[in-house]
Amino acid sequence: MPESQRGATNERGTRALLNSLANDASRDTLTLRGILDDFDERGFGILLLIATLPAFIPIPVGGAISGPLVMFLGAQLLFGREDVWLPRRIADWGPKRDAFARFVARISPWLGRLEHLIRPRIGWLFEHPLTMAISGLVLVVTGGLLALPIPATNYLFGGLLLMFALALLEQDGVLLVIAWIAAIVVAVMVGLLSGHLLANVGEWLQSLQSWWNARSLS
């Protein structure tokens, strides 16, 4: 892509960027390699958005698909990569354009409402290596939680990851900090609830064992 066209692409808003992908009739499949070629400076944001899509598909394995992909991207941010590296097999993979277009049509009205709230802010934040390291660590943790079979959490973690994706796409430092705080709060809450649930299950198993032992003695 010529530099002038690439620069114009990078100035476009997220909704316009997504619509351009969804309406590109020249491609039946939106390969990750092709997306990175078109939007290299927004690579992490757009790939994070795409990696989050399976979490919103009403199938049990949606989180198991999205989680490792998110962790893979987060690890690269954590270790200071400035551009996305993808193995050849993954680079040649991507969503079908029709499925992606349906997703874009679903979220486009919401993005339209958010456009006046999400905008480039605190740009220097994205130039600091520590910012990307923190974001990478939070993404690795969130992706790991998403991959676990925790009931009714796919949309919750998916929403958090969409916040990160939009923050990276729009270079919105305020939204990025909000996403950090929200992800940490959710991770702590899920950890506490999971620990409480495991404790209850342990107590139930102990009571069941006690009942069985008492029955065996009688």
Side-chain angles (χ1 to χ4, degrees):
M1 178 183 293
E3 289 299 323
S4 59
Q5 185 177 352
R6 187 182 301 278
T9 297
N10 290 332
E11 293 175 359
R12 298 164 65 187
T14 298
R15 186 162 62 150
L17 183 153
L18 295 177
N19 283 331
S20 70
L21 288 174
N23 296 325
D24 186 359
S26 66
R27 293 184 281 187
D28 292 330
T29 299
L30 302 173
T31 66
L32 301 185
R33 186 193 309 277
I35 292 171
L36 285 178
D37 287 343
D38 289 347
F39 306 104
D40 58 343
E41 292 186 13
R42 291 175 164 184
F44 279 104
I46 192 65
L47 288 191
L48 180 58
L49 181 68
I50 292 173
T52 305
L53 296 186
F56 292 95
I57 301 175
I59 56 175
V61 297
I65 296 172
S66 285
L69 293 175
V70 170
M71 294 175 70
F72 178 72
L73 293 173
Q76 294 191 51
L77 285 174
L78 177 60
F79 291 106
R81 283 198 65 90
E82 296 182 358
D83 56 348
V84 184
W85 175 83
L86 295 175
R88 180 179 300 177
R89 181 171 297 182
I90 295 178
D92 291 334
W93 175 88
K96 293 293 184 181
R97 187 179 63 84
D98 291 343
F100 187 79
R102 288 194 295 271
F103 173 76
V104 171
R106 178 178 296 182
I107 69 170
S108 187
W110 294 97
L111 290 178
R113 298 185 185 99
L114 293 172
E115 278 182 342
H116 67 287
L117 298 175
I118 303 174
R119 60 186 184 276
R121 289 177 288 188
I122 320 180
W124 57 265
L125 196 62
F126 294 89
E127 299 174 3
H128 200 291
L130 183 59
T131 299
M132 295 297 100
I134 294 173
S135 298
L137 178 60
V138 174
L139 287 175
V140 169
V141 173
T142 305
L145 290 173
L146 177 59
L148 297 176
I150 305 175
T153 58
N154 275 20
Y155 281 15
L156 175 62
F157 292 127
L160 289 173
L161 294 171
L162 281 181
M163 290 175 62
F164 274 104
L166 291 173
L168 293 173
L169 282 166
E170 296 289 348
Q171 298 288 285
D172 190 337
V174 173
L175 181 60
L176 183 66
V177 173
I178 292 173
W180 285 351
I181 296 171
I184 292 170
V185 170
V186 169
V188 170
M189 290 179 61
V190 169
L192 293 175
L193 290 174
S194 299
H196 182 67
L197 179 62
L198 289 174
N200 287 340
V201 170
E203 292 176 1
W204 179 77
L205 290 174
Q206 287 180 352
S207 63
L208 182 63
Q209 184 178 11
S210 299
W211 173 81
W212 180 259
N213 291 338
R215 181 179 178 183
S216 299
L217 292 174
S218 62

